[in-house]
Amino acid sequence: MSNPIIFKRNTDIGAADAESDAAFLAQCFIDNGDLDALLDCDNPKCLVLGRTGAGKTALLQQVQKRGEHVVELSPEALALSYVNNSQVLKFFESAGVNLDVFYSLLWRHILTVELLKMRYEINNAEKQVMFLERLSGIFARDKVKERALKYLREWGDQFWEETEYRTKEFTRKLETDLTASAKVDAKFLSLGADGAQKLSEEQIVEVRDHGTTVVNSVQVKELHDVITLLSENVFDNKQKKYYIIIDRLDEDWVGDHIRFKLLKSLIETVKTFKKIHGVKIIIALRTDLHYRIIKETPSAGFQEEKYRSLYLNLRWTRQQLTELLESRVSYMFRRQYTQQGVGLKDIMPPNQIDQRTSVDYILERTFFRPREAIIYFNECIARAEGTSRITVGLLRQAEVRYSQQRLQSLADEWRRDYPNLLSSTSILLRRTTPFTIGDVTPQEIEGCALEILEKTERPDDLSKAAESYYMASKISAHEFLELVIQVHYTVGLLGVKPAPHVGRQWSFLDQPSLSKGQLSDLVQIDVHKTFWASLGVIRKGKGAYSETE
């Protein structure tokens, strides 16, 4: 080569997050078939599910890039924090009024107006008037369509306003109607949930009955007619495709007490829009968040299997991740040297490591997600500065730092559910893998419980179990250990091999959680290779992992 391959300072194969990875994503996006499924409006798959770093945002960015008509709604723009903070809604919900109907109608309202704005390019009052007059002339004698138009006139009087305005407008209308129905002092309403707790039993029954009547009368029929209108007369050109994208729903945009209900209503609402040809509402959720939505919001009549056709589960194969690394390495050197032909084989160790190729060695220390492969590879490149190849020694050194970062990242990812996760990993320090429940000594179990109690950030399942075992003796050491292993399996720290004839199972590949009945004394438990270096794990038949190995 005219220019020797030399790794320069601050060289990398892209950023870990899609928002900061524009250059590499533009040149190195790997389409494994998921993009075509999302762009196809006749394909029901529209709920993108994947763990952190699986590529959800990158995939949605490609939809934005390749779709003809696309609008993205951010959680902040939806102004759902207004719904979350409404003292009136909190008051009635605490009194027993089921607001699920309202949440579903709110989503329908938001999505309907966004689609109409996009379809007719309504960005000012003049265009809105023209739009309504046009439809009025067409449907003057159609009662169903007339009801739809009446709804649009009442609720869409300012189409060109931001989504935030419409959310508040819709919610304030319900607040006004609910307040008028309540035969109680206004001071109780202003206190929200606390106000409802101050009512007598007779008052609560009356508030609940009146409030339920109001919620159930919120123009359900009219909104259904609007969906029919969209399907039959607005989005009738099969050559034009319209997409609404909603991402970053796993962030702190509203409190948990309402977030799960809103997200469940969103999923249910998206299904109703499937009847509109040429339209697709695409939402992205972390797999664990979707699991919690189902778990935390049980309701009569909801059958989760009816929604599985909507799921697009992001999965990456070894070959696809290798292709991703190959593409990014090639692009990295093209940017540096404007030359072709530099690939993984030119910079990676030619000899095997633990009977694995160097790329396989890296991938086995990931959850088979792009972000982790990129982070590990960048760590290798950083240590190869000034040289022309990543050696086995450099790869091992990079693993130590990468493993430490991944353990901390895992704790951050699950902090909302398990704030004491990091403390609980003390039970895995210098442990031989694989192991069984019987291999863990009483002293190690006690030490883990004490570690959790001493470093508790806020109560969670782990700290409560530690207290029940160590402080109150309400559960046995075995029961506490089972709970810790169940949590560690859920987050991906541990995998299990239930029987000799069954393969290893991991939460990010197989079932997302374990029950107590699946953890017999004979079950083999493995620490994931990602965390061997940071936890000093001892591989059966070998010594503890070290940086110089």
Side-chain angles (χ1 to χ4, degrees):
M1 297 183 181
S2 57
N3 295 307
I5 300 173
I6 299 293
F7 288 106
K8 299 178 181 179
R9 178 170 297 185
N10 299 320
T11 298
D12 57 45
I13 59 168
D17 61 299
E19 292 84 354
S20 307
D21 197 36
F24 277 87
L25 275 178
Q27 299 294 324
C28 309
F29 178 78
I30 303 298
D31 182 14
N32 53 17
D34 291 337
L35 180 58
D36 289 339
L38 283 185
L39 289 172
D40 183 359
C41 290
D42 293 326
N43 189 315
K45 296 188 180 302
C46 59
L47 177 52
V48 183
L49 298 175
R51 294 276 290 263
T52 299
K56 298 185 294 298
T57 298
L59 184 59
L60 266 56
Q61 285 181 353
Q62 291 300 311
V63 173
Q64 286 184 281
K65 180 179 179 181
R66 304 190 189 189
E68 183 180 356
H69 305 284
V70 186
V71 63
E72 180 181 11
L73 301 180
S74 67
E76 297 84 3
L78 292 170
L80 293 171
S81 58
Y82 181 85
V83 181
N84 178 68
N85 296 327
S86 170
Q87 294 298 327
V88 173
L89 296 187
K90 288 178 181 178
F91 172 85
F92 279 91
E93 194 160 33
S94 180
V97 177
N98 188 340
L99 295 177
D100 289 352
V101 171
F102 165 70
Y103 298 143
S104 294
L105 291 175
L106 176 60
W107 282 120
R108 285 196 195 188
H109 180 71
I110 291 171
L111 298 175
T112 295
V113 176
E114 288 297 334
L115 286 171
L116 289 172
K117 277 185 63 179
M118 185 163 37
R119 168 68 176 82
Y120 292 103
E121 300 180 351
I122 302 172
N123 52 24
N124 56 49
E126 182 180 356
K127 288 190 175 181
Q128 176 187 300
V129 171
M130 291 173 60
F131 157 68
L132 292 174
E133 287 180 349
R134 174 183 177 183
L135 292 185
S136 297
I138 297 174
F139 305 124
R141 298 181 180 179
D142 189 319
K143 291 184 178 180
V144 171
K145 305 299 168 51
E146 282 183 352
R147 283 199 301 264
L149 287 172
K150 178 183 176 183
Y151 175 88
L152 292 177
R153 288 193 186 97
E154 180 176 352
W155 288 103
D157 60 339
Q158 294 189 356
F159 272 88
W160 65 91
E161 293 283 0
E162 296 296 328
T163 313
E164 176 182 2
Y165 174 87
R166 288 189 296 281
T167 301
K168 292 180 178 179
E169 176 190 42
F170 195 85
T171 306
R172 284 168 183 156
K173 175 67 166 59
L174 178 65
E175 288 176 320
T176 299
D177 293 345
L178 284 173
T179 300
S181 76
K183 304 296 191 276
V184 297
D185 195 303
K187 67 180 181 182
F188 292 111
L189 290 166
S190 65
L191 294 174
D194 291 338
Q197 302 303 315
K198 297 180 182 295
L199 300 180
S200 67
E201 287 294 328
E202 183 179 349
Q203 286 176 309
I204 288 178
V205 171
E206 185 177 0
V207 166
R208 182 169 60 243
D209 290 344
H210 287 302
T212 299
T213 300
V214 170
V215 171
N216 290 340
S217 64
V218 181
Q219 309 219 28
V220 177
K221 180 62 177 174
E222 287 82 351
L223 245 181
H224 177 78
D225 294 337
V226 171
I227 300 294
T228 301
L229 174 74
L230 296 180
S231 176
E232 296 179 0
N233 304 99
V234 176
F235 295 96
D236 51 358
N237 186 340
K238 295 185 177 181
Q239 302 305 313
K240 292 186 177 182
K241 310 296 182 184
Y242 297 85
Y243 305 90
I244 293 179
I245 291 173
I246 308 178
D247 193 9
R248 299 190 294 109
L249 290 168
D250 53 342
E251 297 178 4
D252 294 328
W253 45 283
V254 288
D256 278 351
H257 77 282
I258 193 175
R259 181 165 67 140
F260 297 129
K261 293 180 181 180
L262 283 168
L263 290 178
K264 185 177 181 181
S265 295
L266 175 58
I267 294 171
E268 293 173 331
T269 302
V270 165
K271 198 174 192 303
T272 67
F273 279 80
K274 298 305 295 178
K275 66 183 292 186
I276 306 175
H277 298 291
V279 167
K280 201 163 197 179
I281 315 297
I282 302 172
I283 58 179
L285 286 176
R286 282 209 328 250
T287 304
D288 58 287
L289 179 57
H290 175 254
Y291 177 74
R292 283 195 65 190
I293 292 169
I294 304 302
K295 179 182 176 183
E296 298 287 343
T297 57
S299 59
F302 180 82
Q303 296 176 298
E304 194 258 343
E305 61 267 19
K306 291 184 178 180
Y307 295 83
R308 288 177 187 161
S309 63
L310 307 181
Y311 300 168
L312 180 67
N313 291 292
L314 296 189
R315 297 286 180 89
W316 291 80
T317 65
R318 191 182 302 266
Q319 180 179 347
Q320 289 165 347
L321 287 174
T322 301
E323 183 183 352
L324 179 144
L325 291 176
E326 187 77 63
S327 174
R328 285 172 174 262
V329 165
S330 177
Y331 180 61
M332 175 185 70
F333 281 105
R334 287 204 306 273
R335 294 179 76 189
Q336 281 193 341
Y337 303 109
T338 63
Q339 62 182 13
Q340 303 288 333
V342 180
L344 290 171
K345 62 180 175 58
D346 301 305
I347 61 173
M348 296 299 288
N351 49 315
Q352 291 193 332
I353 312 170
D354 293 344
Q355 300 180 332
R356 301 283 192 275
T357 67
S358 54
V359 173
D360 283 343
Y361 184 89
I362 288 175
L363 295 182
E364 286 180 355
R365 282 151 180 79
T366 72
F367 288 177
F368 276 76
R369 298 182 289 198
R371 179 177 299 178
E372 297 149 349
I374 292 170
I375 291 173
Y376 195 162
F377 211 92
N378 283 340
E379 283 292 334
C380 293
I381 293 173
R383 282 160 178 73
E385 179 186 340
T387 69
S388 59
R389 182 178 287 273
I390 296 170
T391 64
V392 173
L394 292 176
L395 192 148
R396 295 281 204 190
Q397 291 175 28
E399 181 180 353
V400 175
R401 174 62 176 160
Y402 163 77
S403 182
Q404 293 169 343
Q405 288 179 333
R406 283 299 306 134
L407 186 60
Q408 182 60 57
S409 295
L410 192 72
D412 294 338
E413 177 184 345
W414 289 90
R415 189 171 302 282
R416 178 186 291 270
D417 299 311
Y418 306 116
N420 305 299
L421 177 64
L422 209 54
S423 299
S424 72
T425 61
S426 62
I427 204 164
L428 301 179
L429 291 174
R430 293 174 293 280
R431 181 158 301 284
T432 300
T433 190
F435 65 96
T436 66
I437 285 181
D439 292 330
V440 186
T441 68
Q443 292 78 14
E444 290 171 330
I445 297 174
E446 184 175 311
C448 177
L450 186 59
E451 181 81 5
I452 293 172
L453 291 172
E454 289 180 344
K455 298 181 179 179
T456 295
E457 292 188 16
R458 57 181 170 81
D460 64 357
D461 289 348
L462 290 166
S463 65
K464 291 174 185 176
E467 185 174 358
S468 294
Y469 158 62
Y470 190 83
M471 303 294 290
S473 299
K474 292 182 179 179
I475 63 173
S476 66
H478 188 274
E479 289 174 314
F480 170 68
L481 178 60
E482 278 188 334
L483 185 279
V484 172
I485 291 174
Q486 285 176 285
V487 171
H488 286 184
Y489 174 86
T490 297
V491 303
L493 274 167
L494 299 177
V496 298
K497 185 175 174 62
H501 62 281
V502 179
R504 286 179 178 81
Q505 297 179 0
W506 301 94
S507 63
F508 51 87
L509 296 176
D510 306 294
Q511 58 184 20
S513 62
L514 289 178
S515 63
K516 288 184 178 180
Q518 295 173 283
L519 282 174
S520 70
D521 291 343
L522 298 179
V523 170
Q524 283 196 350
I525 304 167
D526 290 85
V527 180
H528 196 278
K529 290 182 179 181
T530 297
F531 311 103
W532 282 10
S534 55
L535 295 172
V537 168
I538 302 169
R539 290 172 283 182
K540 210 152 227 182
K542 295 189 177 184
Y545 183 90
S546 68
E547 185 174 327
T548 58
E549 183 181 4

